[in-house]
């Protein structure tokens, strides 16, 4: 806290800095900042305290309303400082009409300007990724070979200054499922790419040597990454920032897991945000592309800045009512309730409850290891946990004093085993469950450690945890033996064993080589009835929401184009958000999402067109999966979920079939085969894409 104060009438205001204005953040700070000012302070006074010149080209808003330099601030005022939003000068808003194609084989680039109709049709995310996969990836291509492409696709609202608009998707043919691969990430990287003037990047081919891409606004440079290859994400970030000399650069990168083609390697941005699912890090590794560094200084153009500010104001004004739990705990606050209801994945999805759950949920994280909450671009919800653990008590005390100035306690490991670096964030619900209770663990420090390792080695915590749970059940039943594992025991409830296995998998050492293939491939290789313990759909391990307990998850797992995905991408709501680049956690109603889309792009879009956009993305992904050999037989849960839990019945084949058929009909696909009908293809204007689906 800083500022000019008048002790009698001091007020505190909360200031959020957008984009380039982050350079005015106090050193080491992130997200909204508190400033103490005199009671009659104005915006001009605040700017002076921050160090911004009074005539700087900065737009200010107070409680969501535009404010001028003379606007008087009040106690608790929610101030936003933005770079100029240039509305009105051009008739294109939200996107630039610029897609960067990068050929890694010959190190050339080209710019595609596909036109406004293209962006209105695909919007971004899944729609855009599926379009390019159908167009450029030959049928049957090896996901880890030169014919696969890697697409990075924010949405048309990504980079707009409104909570939730910091998302980007990464897509390719998945090395885990052999079908449509895609994963979303938050943080700042996607917004930075948009601010650099790009709507998407499509990587083609394979680089002969390790390389990283440096995108500085419109300039694109290939840079040698030999010295970065083999390094963990934190080291790579430090080296690139030092090399390029700008601390505001944002970096998306793979870790050793991606280099070693672990089939569920992820792509990390800002070290603690990940495009986690479907093995996109392995595709990036197969292309010898270590990182993409981006710096963008051009604000995304907004059609109706007042309208957008009103949406931002709605989020901050309804925080208590709509987002308090998220703001307070992030994901994972409801784990005790889930366990009481018998729906918690425990010991490879067998039990539904754990009496140790309170030791490892988000409440325990807050009380024991968390030092603060972090945020994504433009988001006031701040739902991202940041944990800090030291091995020794003295080091923890020193960090609390020197780093946090007494504002946070720093935990230490009473067993002196592990430290956890706050740069790598903290465990979300999926990681707490997949690396914790589903492996029988109640050791919060070890769970935070394996989560940190997954971020610095860059691996998906869900697929990793589920693969370990599968292997542990095989070991428990004598299907996997010490002879198979090279003497490494694979036991539930063995926290230190999990830490060792995480590293073995990332570097494909010993039994880690088999487990790096993902549980389904490993089961196919092992045989011996081990398939019975799988928790995969279409080859991807299911997330930590048991469909026997949560009916709402059933369609998501059965029908998401990526396999065992819990994000309910199959719904119109989330399908649309994926494509436009809006976070699922924001409690916007559908008409508010529509409003955001309109205020950013200026499109005169109807609710019906919004639904059509979501259907288009899902149908394109379906076309890709069908072309790659998937069928109705792949829209099925693994055998485990036919078994009952103590408190929930198993799901019968007939129940699953009904969900699948109903969904096919809703999407306009053939009710039996799930093949999109000619009429649907026409209605969605996908004739050109469908040509590539044969
Ligand atoms: S709600 Fe959480 S995940 Fe979503 S944009 Fe905000 S901080 Fe990021």
């Amino acid at each position: 806290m800083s500022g000019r104060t008048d002790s009698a009438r001091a007020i505190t205001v909360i200031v959020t800095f957008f984009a380039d204005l982050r350079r005015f953040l106090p050193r080491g700070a992130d997200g909204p900042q508190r400033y103490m000012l005199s009671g009659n302070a104005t915006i001009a006074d605040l700017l002076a305290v921050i160090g911004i010149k009074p005539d700087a080209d900065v737009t200010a808003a107070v409680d969501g309303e535009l404010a001028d330099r003379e606007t008087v601030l009040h106690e608790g005022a929610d101030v936003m400082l933005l770079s100029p939003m240039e509305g009105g000068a051009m008739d294109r808003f939200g996107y630039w009409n610029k897609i960067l194609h990068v050929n890694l084989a010959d190190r050339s680039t080209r710019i595609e300007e596909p036109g406004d109709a293209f962006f209105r049709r695909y919007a971004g995310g899944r729609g855009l990724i599926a379009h390019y996969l159908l167009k450029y990836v030959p049928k049957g291509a090896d996901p880890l070979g030169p014919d696969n492409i890697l697409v990075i696709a924010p949405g048309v609202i990504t980079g707009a200054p409104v909570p939730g608009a910091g998302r980007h998707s990464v897509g390719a043919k998945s090395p885990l499922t052999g079908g449509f691969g895609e994963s979303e990430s938050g943080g700042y990287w996607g917004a930075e790419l948009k601010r650099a003037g790009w709507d998407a990047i499509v990587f083609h081919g394979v680089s002969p040597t390790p390389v990283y891409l440096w995108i500085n606004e419109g300039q694109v440079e290939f840079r040698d990454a030999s010295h970065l290859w083999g390094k963990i994400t934190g080291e790579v970030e430090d080296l690139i920032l030092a090399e390029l000399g700008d601390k505001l650069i944002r970096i998306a990168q793979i870790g050793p897991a991606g280099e070693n083609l672990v089939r569920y390697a992820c792509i990390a941005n800002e070290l603690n945000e990940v495009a986690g699912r479907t093995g996109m890090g392995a595709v990036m590794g197969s292309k010898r592309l270590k990182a993409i560094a981006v710096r963008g200084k051009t604000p995304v153009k907004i059609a109706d800045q007042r309208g957008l500010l009103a949406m931002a104001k709605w989020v901050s004004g309804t925080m208590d009512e709509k987002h308090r739990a998220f703001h307070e705990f992030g994901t994972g606050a409801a784990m005790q309730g889930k366990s009481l209801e018998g729906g918690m994945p425990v010991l490879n999805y067998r039990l539904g409850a754990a009496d140790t759950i309170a030791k490892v949920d988000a409440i325990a994280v807050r009380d024991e290891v968390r030092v603060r909450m972090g945020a994504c671009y433009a988001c006031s919800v701040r739902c991202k946990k940041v944990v800090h653990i030291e091995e020794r008590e003295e080091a923890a005390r020193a960090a609390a004093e020197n780093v946090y100035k007494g504002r946070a306690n720093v935990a230490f490991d009473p067993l002196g085993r592990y430290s956890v670096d706050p740069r790598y964030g903290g465990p979300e619900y999926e990681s707490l469950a997949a690396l914790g209770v589903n492996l029988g663990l109640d050791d919060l420090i070890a769970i935070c450690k394996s989560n940190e390792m997954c971020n610095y080695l860059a691996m998906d915590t869900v697929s990793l945890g589920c693969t370990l749970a599968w292997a542990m059940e095989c070991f428990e039943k004598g299907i996997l033996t010490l002879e198979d594992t090279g003497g490494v025991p694979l036991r539930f409830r063995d926290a230190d064993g999990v830490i060792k296995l995480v590293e073995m998998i990332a570097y494909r050492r010993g039994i880690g080589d088999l487990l790096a293939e993902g549980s389904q491939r490993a089961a196919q290789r092992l045989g011996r009835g081990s398939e019975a313990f799988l928790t995969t759909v279409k080859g991807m391990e299911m997330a930590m929401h048991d469909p026997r307990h949560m009916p709402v998850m059933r369609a998501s797992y059965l029908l998401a184009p990526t396999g065992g995905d819990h994000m309910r991408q199959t719904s119109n709501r989330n399908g649309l958000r994926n494509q436009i680049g809006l976070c699922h956690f924001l409690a916007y109603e559908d008409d508010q999402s529509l409003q955001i889309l309109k205020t950013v792009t200026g499109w005169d879009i109807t609710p019906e067109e919004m639904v059509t956009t979501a259907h288009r993305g899902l149908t394109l992904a379906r076309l890709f999966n069908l072309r790659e050999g998937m069928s109705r037989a792949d829209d099925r849960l693994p055998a485990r979920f036919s078994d009952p839990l103590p408190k929930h019945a198993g799901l019968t084949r007939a129940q699953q079939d009904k969900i699948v058929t109903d969904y096919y009909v809703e999407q306009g696909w053939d009710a039996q085969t799930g093949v999109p009908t000619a009429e649907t293809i026409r209605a969605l204007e996908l004739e050109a894409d469908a040509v590539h689906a044969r």
Side-chain angles (χ1 to χ4, degrees), residues 56 77 155 164 207 211 225 258 375 452 487 520 532 674:
S207 171
V211 69
E452 178 212 50
Q520 189 154 304

Side-chain angles (χ1 to χ4, degrees), residues 164 167 326 374-376 379 381-384 583 585-586:
R167 309 287 292 180
F326 251 58
C376 301
C379 191
V381 175
R382 296 182 67 71
C383 77
K384 320 292 288 188
C583 176
F585 293 148
L586 268 298

Side-chain angles (χ1 to χ4, degrees), residues 398-417:
E401 222 171 279
N402 302 328
V403 181
Y404 304 102
K405 312 286 176 218
R407 287 194 299 267
N409 289 325
V410 174
F412 66 95
D413 182 353
L415 301 176
R417 302 163 300 168

